[in-house]
Amino acid sequence: MSAAVKKLWPELDWIGDPDLCQRVTATWTRAFELSSLNPDDLERIPFTLLIPGCTVTFMQHKRCVVHVARRAAEAMREAFGTALPIDLDTVIAGAILADVGKLLEYEQAEGVTRQSKRGEALRHPFTGVAVAMMCGVPDAVCHIIAAHAAEGDLVRRSTEAYIVHHADFMTYLPFKNLEKK
Ligand SMILES: [Fe+2]
């Protein structure tokens, strides 16, 4: 399965720290083991269940978030230098892992993707952190998983978590406007 994860996420190569890269890969691998979804499903299912008829796939959206987060972090580092420390590995690892818990939040039933019973009780920020901690992912990265969505509005986000949060929402909320037209 880890070969399939590496194929799904070429962006893993952007993580400079080999130990962190291995832990992020292990987290995705473990999540697939616990999920009814497989890597091919992620190239097909919609990235959100909150927008009816959404045609953007899970992987199209997740990949975009990682790319936007990386470029935003690089632009901020260029602009602010040492005035605002940003750990690029943490941003990239956090962006790759932000939605890994959706493998446990979603399930496939009769050809339809829906929220699982577990997902009703524990949204993906919670299950994502649980799986990542099992795989020894550092707290700074788990914080991004925990705080990337609305749950994170209740805590003080790190700089890296702000970047991933905004990368996620700026590539999600405009689709809700399309739905209203
Ligand atoms: Fe999310």
Side-chain angles (χ1 to χ4, degrees):
M1 181 54 82
S2 81
V5 168
K6 284 178 184 150
K7 186 164 170 243
L8 194 67
W9 280 115
E11 291 81 1
L12 285 163
D13 286 344
W14 294 350
I15 301 173
D17 177 354
D19 181 66
L20 179 59
C21 182
Q22 185 273 326
R23 291 177 192 282
V24 173
T25 307
T27 304
W28 269 92
T29 303
R30 184 71 186 119
F32 274 120
E33 288 166 2
L34 297 168
S35 177
S36 64
L37 297 163
N38 63 49
D40 287 342
D41 291 327
L42 302 192
E43 305 282 9
R44 187 179 47 75
I45 65 171
F47 80 90
T48 177
L49 302 180
L50 303 176
I51 301 172
C54 176
T55 58
V56 176
T57 69
F58 187 99
M59 281 314 297
Q60 278 178 314
H61 184 260
K62 302 317 147 200
R63 201 177 305 290
C64 182
V65 170
V66 176
H67 286 238
V68 169
R70 182 196 189 188
R71 289 187 211 176
E74 287 172 343
M76 288 168 72
R77 289 219 306 196
E78 275 173 36
F80 304 134
T82 55
L84 186 69
I86 298 171
D87 188 284
L88 204 53
D89 265 9
T90 299
V91 170
I92 295 165
I96 291 175
L97 287 176
D99 274 352
V100 71
K102 282 194 177 174
L103 295 191
L104 282 75
E105 182 175 342
Y106 292 178
E107 66 182 8
Q108 295 270 85
E110 292 143 23
V112 176
T113 309
R114 66 185 185 194
Q115 197 175 37
S116 65
K117 270 277 167 223
R118 171 175 271 162
E120 277 177 37
L122 296 164
R123 262 173 41 83
H124 63 276
F126 302 99
T127 46
V129 167
V131 180
M133 287 183 78
M134 269 190 250
C135 297
V137 170
D139 289 349
V141 177
C142 287
H143 167 77
I144 295 177
I145 304 170
H148 80 277
E151 289 85 349
D153 295 347
L154 300 172
V155 301
R156 190 175 70 174
R157 288 185 173 98
S158 67
T159 303
E160 291 82 2
Y162 270 124
I163 292 169
V164 175
H165 165 66
H166 285 285
D168 190 23
F169 277 66
M170 72 190 283
T171 55
Y172 158 57
L173 292 174
F175 286 105
K176 294 184 82 166
N177 288 346
L178 292 181
E179 181 199 7
K180 286 176 191 149
K181 283 178 186 165

